[in-house]
Amino acid sequence: MKKYTHAWLALMAMKRIEKAKIPVRQQDDAKALISWFKNYRDFVLSGAWYPDSVFKDMSTSHIVKYKPDTSGTAGSFRVMPPTLQLYKYGLNSDMYGKPYTLEKRHNICDRCEAFTESLIDSFKILTMENDGSPIVPSNNHIAMRFFILSHYIADCHMPLHCDARSFYNKNEVHGFIEEQWDDQVRSSYLIDEDNERFFYDPEGYPLKQAEMTDLMKYVEEELVSREFVWSWGTGCNNTWDYMSGISQYSYLMSYRLVPADHVPDEISKNLYMASDAYKDHFLEYSKVILGDAVESIAKIWLHAWVRYRDWFRDTELAFYNAQQKQAEKNLKAATQTVDNYPFEKENQCGKVKKARDTVSTKQDDYDLAVSKGKNADKKAEALQKARTKLAEAEEKLAKLEMDYKEAQSSLESLKALLLAAQIQVKRKEAEIKKYADSNSGI
Ligand SMILES: [Zn+2]
């Protein structure tokens, strides 16, 4: 697909997340994603085009090539969400269930899976790192990666990206089809050519021309009216599984888009344009392909975002739980200090008294020795030791008293802190409860 088609698909996916009826469980998160996105939408053109303009990994990561396998017995095809048009068309295809083989070196599904995970990881790093940390990813950077991901998702919906046939001139039919779409995008919306971006309408989406093509109008209507199904499809559990299913049905669609009535090497652009598949069905198939591309981008983006938000809520709860635990610990320590004070004070007073008696005895011993003219050095040493012990015991008593006073005066505020921490935990738990259902898994 071409530059403006990629950017347009990404913006239509944003619009779908905003305009479609999102399941209740994901509604708040969808709103939050859109308000986050709107700050970074200007990167959409460069972001969604980065894989072609900079990474240039077209020969491995923008494709996954299937071909019918006459030696095999049965082909396994994934069960996809019922609203996916590629799936509906695929189920009615003559080639559905027939064996196929995959060319090995292509990895578009892995690319999509890896990008999805790295988006979630980046948000986690952004959350955990302090402001100004040199390793923190910026929101701009993460938004760019959302748009880059949309490119790979969209490419997998272009049927020829999933078809191992090599045509007359490898890129002629392929390029022709993609040009039809890009021309329609460019003629249906107002484009700011100087700044290489769309002009936006008041809601921040590509500004429509008075005249739009049927295909563009269809996708715009479809993104609002199509039911938003959260699930990946039966047996699909993640981006990879889902994209693998998309590639299978995209392969089946390829044989409708460019049928196998000719030897592939003979299918030139002119031959293709003269075919019934083009003349009678191009618009129909284009609706399926572009409508589903928007659907899949929106689905994968929202799944990634919801997974991050679930993690964020759990992390917040863990933080508040730790705060509550600390507040409990602080209150317990202060209460113990207050409760134990009478006993410890009595005990320490006893020690002080004993030390004082010892000092007095040692003083007498020393005085006696001096009065008798004897060497009193040892007595002086013993007296000094007793005095040090007394000072230590008195100091400990003073500290006990200080600790007691401090604990006593802090009891009320520690109780208030604990109560506040408990309220925070309860509030968070109640908030999270509404997200804790089984359809939250990615
Ligand atoms: Zn590409």
Side-chain angles (χ1 to χ4, degrees):
M1 289 180 191
K2 295 189 184 298
K3 192 172 180 179
Y4 278 89
T5 313
H6 272 297
W8 171 75
L9 287 171
L11 288 164
M12 291 304 105
M14 265 172 76
K15 200 168 180 178
R16 174 147 173 77
I17 296 171
E18 180 169 354
K19 302 283 179 188
K21 197 173 175 304
I22 304 291
V24 177
R25 161 65 170 81
Q26 289 87 22
Q27 258 170 29
D28 298 351
D29 288 339
K31 267 188 203 145
L33 176 57
I34 292 306
S35 64
W36 178 81
F37 250 144
K38 286 200 170 169
N39 296 322
Y40 309 104
R41 123 195 62 208
D42 281 348
F43 304 113
V44 69
L45 240 122
S46 51
W49 194 234
Y50 228 74
D52 277 7
S53 63
V54 178
F55 301 161
K56 298 189 191 295
D57 50 352
M58 294 85 156
S59 64
T60 52
S61 305
H62 299 221
I63 51 177
V64 55
K65 298 282 192 179
Y66 289 76
K67 60 179 165 206
D69 180 1
T70 43
S71 63
T73 50
S76 108
F77 287 84
R78 288 183 179 271
V79 179
M80 303 301 282
T83 48
L84 209 63
Q85 297 299 307
L86 273 173
Y87 178 51
K88 281 189 187 163
Y89 273 74
L91 292 178
N92 292 321
S93 157
D94 293 343
M95 293 167 69
Y96 176 77
K98 295 208 175 130
Y100 57 76
T101 46
L102 275 164
E103 285 182 5
K104 288 229 159 51
R105 61 193 184 280
H106 308 135
N107 57 24
I108 192 167
C109 305
D110 308 72
R111 197 79 165 117
C112 292
E113 173 71 19
F115 254 95
T116 306
E117 290 302 309
S118 84
L119 280 176
I120 300 165
D121 295 343
S122 297
F123 276 125
K124 289 181 182 176
I125 298 169
L126 180 63
T127 306
M128 297 310 280
E129 287 296 315
N130 294 325
D131 284 353
S133 158
I135 59 165
V136 74
S138 69
N139 281 294
N140 291 340
H141 179 78
I142 302 176
M144 266 289 280
R145 294 180 83 80
F146 265 98
F147 298 133
I148 292 170
L149 169 60
S150 77
H151 180 115
Y152 294 100
I153 300 168
D155 269 2
C156 198
H157 289 72
M158 167 37 168
L160 301 188
H161 279 249
C162 302
D163 184 342
R165 286 179 292 173
S166 101
F167 296 104
Y168 160 71
N169 173 343
K170 215 172 170 228
N171 296 316
E172 199 182 60
V173 174
H174 193 139
F176 170 71
I177 292 172
E178 292 185 341
E179 226 166 71
Q180 303 303 301
W181 295 334
D182 216 57
D183 286 350
Q184 295 202 38
V185 172
R186 296 176 67 98
S187 67
S188 297
Y189 296 89
L190 272 166
I191 288 171
D192 177 359
E193 302 280 357
D194 292 342
N195 296 304
E196 287 225 328
R197 63 180 188 91
F198 288 98
F199 280 114
Y200 297 128
D201 65 17
E203 285 187 298
Y205 293 109
L207 186 58
K208 295 171 183 171
Q209 297 271 20
E211 287 291 317
M212 293 176 74
T213 67
D214 284 350
L215 175 59
M216 297 295 111
K217 273 197 271 187
Y218 169 83
V219 175
E220 285 269 4
E221 280 159 22
E222 178 80 355
L223 64 85
V224 181
S225 60
R226 191 191 289 199
E227 185 193 350
F228 195 104
V229 174
W230 178 248
S231 115
W232 292 114
T234 312
C236 294
N237 296 309
N238 50 40
T239 305
W240 195 96
D241 292 347
Y242 178 82
M243 289 309 298
S244 143
I246 292 292
S247 68
Q248 292 168 350
Y249 293 99
S250 197
Y251 149 65
L252 296 183
M253 176 51 87
S254 189
Y255 279 78
R256 282 182 192 259
L257 192 67
V258 186
D261 353 338
H262 298 274
V263 178
D265 285 351
E266 290 174 356
I267 304 178
S268 64
K269 177 178 146 189
N270 287 337
L271 204 58
Y272 174 59
M273 283 174 74
S275 71
D276 290 346
Y278 179 71
K279 286 190 297 190
D280 301 341
H281 298 287
F282 185 70
L283 175 60
E284 178 193 348
Y285 299 152
S286 298
K287 286 177 177 177
V288 171
I289 294 161
L290 299 184
D292 277 2
V294 170
E295 170 74 5
S296 299
I297 296 167
K299 183 189 281 271
I300 291 171
W301 278 357
L302 189 56
H303 268 265
W305 172 257
V306 167
R307 260 186 62 199
Y308 154 63
R309 298 266 290 183
D310 280 346
W311 169 87
F312 182 74
R313 287 184 277 264
D314 286 348
T315 304
E316 267 192 327
L317 179 61
F319 171 78
Y320 289 130
N321 268 323
Q323 271 196 335
Q324 181 182 321
K325 234 177 176 175
Q326 189 57 49
E328 280 164 1
K329 221 169 132 185
N330 293 347
L331 178 60
K332 197 175 164 195
T335 310
Q336 254 171 10
T337 304
V338 172
D339 290 349
N340 293 345
Y341 179 65
F343 165 75
E344 290 204 16
K345 185 187 174 188
E346 196 187 320
N347 187 25
Q348 195 58 30
C349 282
K351 283 182 183 167
V352 168
K353 187 179 175 299
K354 210 172 146 197
R356 208 168 272 147
D357 290 349
T358 310
V359 167
S360 160
T361 311
K362 299 294 174 193
Q363 183 73 54
D364 290 349
D365 289 353
Y366 173 77
D367 291 346
L368 190 65
V370 171
S371 69
K372 285 185 176 167
K374 287 182 181 167
N375 183 340
D377 288 356
K378 281 222 167 109
K379 301 288 180 197
E381 207 177 299
L383 176 58
Q384 192 49 45
K385 240 185 197 168
R387 277 180 179 155
T388 307
K389 268 198 168 168
L390 173 61
E392 280 169 6
E394 279 171 342
E395 204 175 302
K396 206 168 170 194
L397 181 63
K399 190 174 179 307
L400 269 176
E401 218 164 313
M402 229 163 66
D403 287 351
Y404 164 73
K405 277 183 186 157
E406 200 182 304
Q408 176 73 25
S409 67
S410 70
L411 274 183
E412 286 316 304
S413 62
L414 288 176
K415 276 179 197 163
L417 281 174
L418 176 59
L419 189 67
Q422 284 166 336
I423 290 170
Q424 286 274 40
V425 168
K426 284 215 173 87
R427 198 175 287 160
K428 251 308 127 190
E429 277 174 346
E431 191 192 314
I432 287 181
K433 214 172 164 194
K434 80 177 189 194
Y435 298 100
D437 69 14
S438 55
N439 87 34
S440 67
I442 194 161

